[in-house]
Amino acid sequence: MLMKLALRNVRRSMRDYAVYFVTLTLGVAVFYAFNAIEDSRVLFEAQEGAANVFLASGASIFDILAQVMTYFSIVVAVVLGFLVLYANRFVVRARKKEFGTYLLLGMSPRQVSSVVLTETLTVGVIALVAGLGLGFLISQAIAFATAGLIGVAISDYHLLFSVRSAELTLGCFALIFVVVALFNAVQISRCKLATLLSANSRNERMPVRNPIVCLIVFVLSCLVLAKAYAELNLDGLVYFGEHFRIATALMLVGTLGLFWSASGFFILLIQRLRGVYFKGLAMFTMRQIAAKVNTAFVSLWTVSILLFFSIVVFSTGFSLASLFSDQLEENTQFDASIRASLMSLDTSDMEAVPSEQYGGEEEKAAAIEETEAQRNEIYRLWQENDGSTAAYLKSLIPDWDERVTGSAQVDTWLADDLTNRQLVESCGFTLDQIGSDENSSIADEGVQYVSLSQFNAARQLAGEKPIELAANEYLVDNTVDKSADYAKALGQKGHAITVDGHALTASGQVVSQSLQVSSMSCLIAVLVVPDELAADRFAAGDLPYLSELNVNLASDSQEQAMKDMMAEYGKAAPPSEELVEKGWTYDPGAWPVSYYDTSESIIADSMGLKLLLVYLALYIGFVFLMTTAAVLSVQQLSEVADSIPRYRLLAQLGCDRDMVLRSLRTQIGIYFVAPLLVAGCHSACTISLLYKNLLSLWGTGAVTSTLAVGIALVVAVYAVYLASTYLVARSAVVSGAGKKLLA
C-alpha cells in the first residue's frame, strides 16, 4: 500500500522533483564520465602514435589522470552530496502540507518517512540509471576528445563501459541517498502536525533594510572591492604573497557587503525614478527581490564566489592547456638537447652567500676552492676538445656516430658590460613590458648572446637556412610573444650597442628560432653576434653561462636511445650511490652533461599536462557551476512556492497574465544575473592579470579563443538552469494563482 502511494506521488509530483532529478542525473553523469577516463587507456596504448600516451618516466598519462581524478572526485562527491541534499530540502518543504494530511488521516511518522524514503529511492534509481546512461555517452565523447588532444588516432574503436567507475559512482551516490533518507526522516519526525498543515499558508515577513544605511554600505563595499583589485594588481597573481592575501580578504568582505546592501540601495534608487517605480508591478517586483536578497545574501555571496572560481577555472584552464601544446612544434625541432649548466661554477654567487649557510668561514672557503678546482678542470677539458661537447662525448661513448646523425652546439654567454635592465631601458621599454620583472634576478644579469656560427648550425640541424651578417652586425632571436615589440626595437636596422667591448649595429633582422628542446618558448631577445665575441671571452679564461648540445638520433625511440647513451657515458662518469638510488645512471655534473630533454618526452609530458588541465577545468568548473545554478534554482522555486498567495491576490486584484509573468521573469532574471555580474567583475580582473603576467607571454590568438570557449560554456550551463527555473516557476504560479484569473 505504501509502495503504491509512493509511486503515485512520484508521478504526481514530477514538477517538484524536476530540479532534484536533473541535478542528480547530471551529477551522476559527470562523476561517471570523468572517473571512466582511466579505463579508456585500452583504446590508446596499442595505437599508432601511442608514444604520446607515455611520460618520460615511463608512466602512462592515464595513471596520472586516475590519481588526480580520484583526489578531486572526493571533493566533487562532497559538493554533489550537499547539492542533492539542498535540492531534496526544497521537495520536502513544498510537500509539508501533504505530509501533514497523511498524519491527519492516521499514518504514523514512521510510515510517512517510509513513503518519502521510497519516493527518494525511486527517483534516485531512475536518476542513477539515466545518469549512468548519459555518463556512458559522455565518456565515449571524452575518448574521442582525448584522442584529439594527444594526437593518437583510434583505429579499432569499440564502446567501452567502465565497471570500476560505475561501482564508484553507485557507491558514492548510495551513500548520498542514505544521508538524504536520514535527513528526510528526521525532518518529518520533528515537525508538528499543525506546522505541516499550515506550511503553505505561512507567509514570511518581507524585511527591507534602511535604505540610507544600505547606500553607505554599498558605497563602502565598492571602495573595498576597488582596493582589492588594486592590491591584486600589485601582486600580479605571480607571487601569491601579502598583496594576494589582502586582496582575497578584501574581495570576500566587499562582496558580502555588496549583497547585504544591494536591495536597500536599489530600492532607494528606483524610488527616486517615479516613472519606473509606479509603472506596472515594479513596486511589487522590487519588494519581492529585496525580500529575497535580504534573507539570502549569504547564499548569494557564496554563489558569486563559486561562480567566480568556475569562470576562472573554465577559462584559464583551457588557455593554459592550449599554450602547452601550441608551442610544441617550434620547440621540438631537434630529437634531444644535452645541457651543461656551467652557471653553477660561478664563485661570485657563492661569495655573496652568508658563511652561516655553509657552516662557517672555513667551510665556505673550502666549497669555493672545490668549485674553482672543478671549473679549472672543465676549462682544461674544454680546451683539449676545442670547446666541442660532442667531441668529448664521442671519446667516451662507443658508436657515437652510429647513434647520433647530427649535432649542433649552442653556447650562451652573458655580457660583462651590458645588463638586461640597461639594454631594455635604452630601447624605451621596462622589464615588466617584456615579461620579466624589475626585481627579478635577470634584471642585472648580463645580456645573453650566442655566436653566429653556432646559431646557424642549430638552424641547419632544424632544417632551416643559415643567416649571414656583415662585420660587427648582430640580429635578434626572440620566441616569446610578449617581448616581440622590444625585439623589433632592439633589432631595428642601425641600432647601435656595445657588448663586451665590441661596438655592434643591428642588421635589421629579427627571427624566431628555438635553440633547444623545451616545452615552452623562452628566448627573450637573445643577441646573435659575430664569433669573435665568444672567442675573446674563452681566450680570457671564461666559460659560457650555459652550453647545449642539440642532437638528432638514429633511433626512432628517442627516450630509450638517450638512456642507453647516458648509461654508456655513466661508465666514464659514474654516479654516486645516493644518485644511483634515485635512478641516475651518470654523474650530472656542470659539464658535459647536467641533464637532457628529448622531444619525445617533452611532447608526452605536455600532452599529459594538457589533458589534465582540460579535464580538471571541465570537471571542477562544471560541478561548481552546476552547484551554483542549482542552488539559485532551488532558492527561487522555494520562494515562488511561498509567494503563491501573493500571486493569487494580484490576479484577484485584476492583474493580467502578462503583468504577473513579467514580474516573475524579472525577479528570477535579476536573482540569477546579479551574482553572475559580480563574479564576472572579479573574473575580469583576475583573468586580465593572468593574461597580462602569464598567458600573454606566449601569444594572444589561442588564449583569446579558449577564453571565449570557457565563457561560452559558463553562460550555456547557467542559461539552461535559468530557463528551467523560469518554466517550473511559471507553471507553479499559473496553477497556484488560478488559470482563469490569469487568462
Side-chain angles (χ1 to χ4, degrees):
M1 182 65 181
L2 294 179
M3 174 66 74
K4 184 177 180 181
L5 177 61
L7 295 177
R8 184 184 66 82
N9 286 343
V10 170
R11 290 193 301 270
R12 185 173 56 85
S13 303
M14 284 307 297
R15 187 188 69 192
D16 293 333
Y17 278 110
V19 174
Y20 175 77
F21 177 80
V22 169
T23 299
L24 191 56
T25 301
L26 290 176
V28 170
V30 171
F31 195 86
Y32 168 85
F34 282 95
N35 280 285
I37 291 175
E38 180 189 7
D39 294 327
S40 65
R41 69 170 67 209
V42 297
L43 296 174
F44 300 98
E45 293 180 353
Q47 303 294 330
E48 183 179 352
N52 290 354
V53 176
F54 297 97
L55 306 179
S57 62
S60 171
I61 288 173
F62 295 98
D63 293 327
I64 308 300
L65 279 173
Q67 294 177 12
V68 175
M69 287 300 173
T70 298
Y71 295 139
F72 277 94
S73 289
I74 296 173
V75 178
V76 170
V78 173
V79 173
L80 289 176
F82 158 78
L83 185 56
V84 171
L85 197 64
Y86 194 86
N88 173 78
R89 182 166 167 251
F90 161 69
V91 176
V92 173
R93 181 181 177 184
R95 300 177 59 203
K96 278 187 175 182
K97 186 174 182 179
E98 178 186 337
F99 298 150
T101 303
Y102 292 154
L103 293 174
L104 187 63
L105 293 174
M107 291 177 64
S108 65
R110 176 176 294 181
Q111 288 176 314
V112 175
S113 297
S114 298
V115 171
V116 176
L117 174 61
T118 305
E119 293 179 24
T120 303
L121 288 176
T122 302
V123 175
V125 169
I126 297 173
L128 274 174
V129 173
L132 287 175
L134 180 59
F136 173 72
L137 296 177
I138 294 175
S139 67
Q140 308 311 305
I142 286 178
F144 283 105
T146 301
L149 287 170
I150 64 177
V152 176
I154 306 177
S155 58
D156 184 25
Y157 175 76
H158 56 274
L159 294 175
L160 183 68
F161 183 78
S162 173
V163 176
R164 182 193 61 83
S165 181
E167 290 175 348
L168 182 63
T169 304
L170 290 172
C172 174
F173 281 87
L175 180 61
I176 291 175
F177 289 151
V178 170
V179 174
V180 169
L182 292 174
F183 175 82
N184 288 344
V186 170
Q187 190 176 28
I188 293 172
S189 63
R190 287 183 175 180
C191 285
K192 298 179 180 180
L193 179 59
T195 302
L196 292 172
L197 289 174
S198 61
N200 290 352
S201 60
R202 295 176 66 190
N203 199 5
E204 285 190 30
R205 186 176 65 89
M206 299 176 64
V208 177
R209 297 191 176 94
N210 187 311
I212 302 302
V213 174
C214 288
L215 174 60
I216 295 172
V217 174
F218 185 86
V219 172
L220 289 175
S221 299
C222 291
L223 293 175
V224 168
L225 289 176
K227 176 63 175 175
Y229 294 161
E231 288 288 333
L232 197 61
N233 191 58
L234 290 174
D235 185 89
L237 285 176
V238 176
Y239 303 108
F240 296 101
E242 182 181 354
H243 291 297
F244 174 77
R245 291 190 292 271
I246 293 174
T248 302
L250 290 176
M251 187 196 73
L252 294 174
V253 172
T255 305
L256 183 62
L258 203 67
F259 283 112
W260 184 90
S261 61
S263 61
F265 169 73
F266 283 106
I267 281 184
L268 180 64
L269 179 64
I270 297 298
Q271 282 178 339
R272 296 295 182 269
L273 303 173
R274 300 286 180 174
V276 175
Y277 189 64
F278 294 110
K279 183 178 179 180
L281 293 178
M283 187 186 304
F284 169 78
T285 302
M286 287 303 301
R287 293 289 171 173
Q288 284 283 104
I289 294 172
K292 294 174 184 179
V293 174
N294 286 346
T295 56
F297 69 93
V298 175
S299 296
L300 289 172
W301 171 68
T302 305
V303 164
S304 183
I305 299 302
L306 290 178
L307 273 175
F308 157 67
F309 183 75
S310 299
I311 294 171
V312 172
V313 167
F314 259 140
S315 303
T316 58
F318 292 151
S319 298
L320 287 172
S322 177
L323 288 174
F324 280 116
S325 59
D326 289 348
Q327 300 175 22
L328 284 179
E329 184 176 353
E330 66 177 88
N331 293 320
T332 55
Q333 298 182 34
F334 317 110
D335 287 352
S337 290
I338 300 172
R339 292 181 171 86
S341 302
L342 295 164
M343 76 284 287
S344 62
L345 301 175
D346 187 358
T347 56
S348 61
D349 291 337
M350 300 176 66
E351 291 171 352
V353 176
S355 302
E356 291 76 13
Q357 294 190 21
Y358 289 94
E361 289 288 347
E362 293 184 2
E363 289 79 2
K364 178 180 179 179
I368 292 175
E369 183 178 351
E370 181 182 352
T371 301
E372 289 178 341
Q374 184 184 5
R375 184 193 180 284
N376 293 334
E377 175 62 16
I378 289 175
Y379 186 80
R380 182 186 66 79
L381 291 172
W382 193 288
Q383 281 184 314
E384 290 180 359
N385 292 276
D386 295 325
S388 173
T389 303
Y392 182 63
L393 289 176
K394 184 177 179 179
S395 68
L396 301 178
I397 300 175
D399 304 324
W400 170 269
D401 290 332
E402 285 74 22
R403 298 171 187 266
V404 178
T405 60
S407 65
Q409 181 173 331
V410 178
D411 299 327
T412 302
W413 298 82
L414 299 185
D416 284 337
D417 58 359
L418 183 63
T419 66
N420 289 306
R421 187 194 303 275
Q422 291 170 340
L423 186 58
V424 169
E425 291 177 352
S426 71
C427 293
F429 288 81
T430 64
L431 289 168
D432 288 332
Q433 290 176 315
I434 68 168
S436 183
D437 184 80
E438 296 291 341
N439 299 316
S440 67
S441 59
I442 71 167
D444 296 313
E445 275 186 355
V447 172
Q448 294 185 5
Y449 65 85
V450 300
S451 65
L452 177 62
S453 61
Q454 290 188 339
F455 174 78
N456 280 330
R459 280 182 64 85
Q460 289 179 303
L461 188 65
E464 302 290 340
K465 294 181 180 180
I467 295 177
E468 295 183 358
L469 289 177
N472 297 322
E473 280 191 338
Y474 71 89
L475 65 85
V476 180
D477 186 10
N478 181 81
T479 60
V480 177
D481 281 7
K482 189 166 185 178
S483 56
D485 290 339
Y486 162 61
K488 289 179 182 178
L490 179 60
Q492 187 175 5
K493 188 171 180 61
H495 186 86
I497 59 174
T498 300
V499 181
D500 284 342
H502 291 259
L504 304 173
T505 57
S507 66
Q509 301 176 81
V510 178
V511 299
S512 179
Q513 174 63 56
S514 178
L515 299 178
Q516 67 280 313
V517 172
S518 62
S519 58
M520 305 190 79
S521 301
C522 56
L523 300 182
I524 299 178
V526 174
L527 303 179
V528 180
V529 300
D531 288 2
E532 51 261 32
L533 272 76
D536 289 350
R537 289 287 298 275
F538 182 70
D542 293 335
L543 288 173
Y545 173 80
L546 177 68
S547 181
E548 295 173 298
L549 179 64
N550 300 307
V551 298
N552 286 339
L553 304 168
S555 173
D556 291 334
S557 178
Q558 301 167 3
E559 192 65 27
Q560 188 59 50
M562 285 302 300
K563 286 181 179 179
D564 294 342
M565 283 177 58
M566 291 301 101
E568 290 294 336
Y569 168 67
K571 294 177 181 179
S576 64
E577 292 184 2
E578 182 180 355
L579 290 174
V580 170
E581 292 177 358
K582 294 179 179 180
W584 290 84
T585 59
Y586 62 93
D587 181 26
W591 188 83
V593 184
S594 300
Y595 64 99
Y596 68 87
D597 283 316
T598 66
S599 292
E600 191 176 79
S601 66
I602 290 293
I603 291 172
D605 290 349
S606 296
M607 291 300 180
L609 186 57
K610 181 178 182 178
L611 271 183
L612 191 60
L613 287 171
V614 168
Y615 288 152
L616 282 181
L618 283 172
Y619 194 25
I620 304 300
F622 182 83
V623 168
F624 276 80
L625 182 60
M626 185 178 68
T627 300
T628 57
V631 166
L632 289 175
S633 180
V634 170
Q635 286 181 343
Q636 278 296 286
L637 294 177
S638 298
E639 184 67 29
V640 168
D642 291 340
S643 299
I644 291 297
R646 298 172 194 152
Y647 290 109
R648 185 181 299 119
L649 180 59
L650 288 176
Q652 291 171 349
L653 291 173
C655 296
D656 60 35
R657 182 191 187 99
D658 289 340
M659 289 179 66
V660 173
L661 294 183
R662 191 182 305 117
S663 174
L664 180 65
R665 283 195 300 271
T666 303
Q667 293 173 47
I668 294 176
I670 291 177
Y671 200 78
F672 267 81
V673 171
L676 182 61
L677 286 177
V678 175
C681 292
H682 296 342
S683 302
C685 176
T686 303
I687 293 173
S688 65
L689 285 174
L690 285 172
Y691 174 78
K692 174 185 175 183
N693 297 306
L694 179 63
L695 302 178
S696 64
L697 293 177
W698 301 286
T700 59
V703 172
T704 303
S705 61
T706 51
L707 280 174
V709 170
I711 294 172
L713 284 173
V714 171
V715 173
V717 174
Y718 208 66
V720 168
Y721 267 95
L722 174 58
S724 301
T725 302
Y726 171 69
L727 292 175
V728 175
R730 179 179 180 275
S731 176
V733 169
V734 170
S735 61
K739 294 182 179 180
K740 291 184 179 180
L741 291 173
L742 289 174

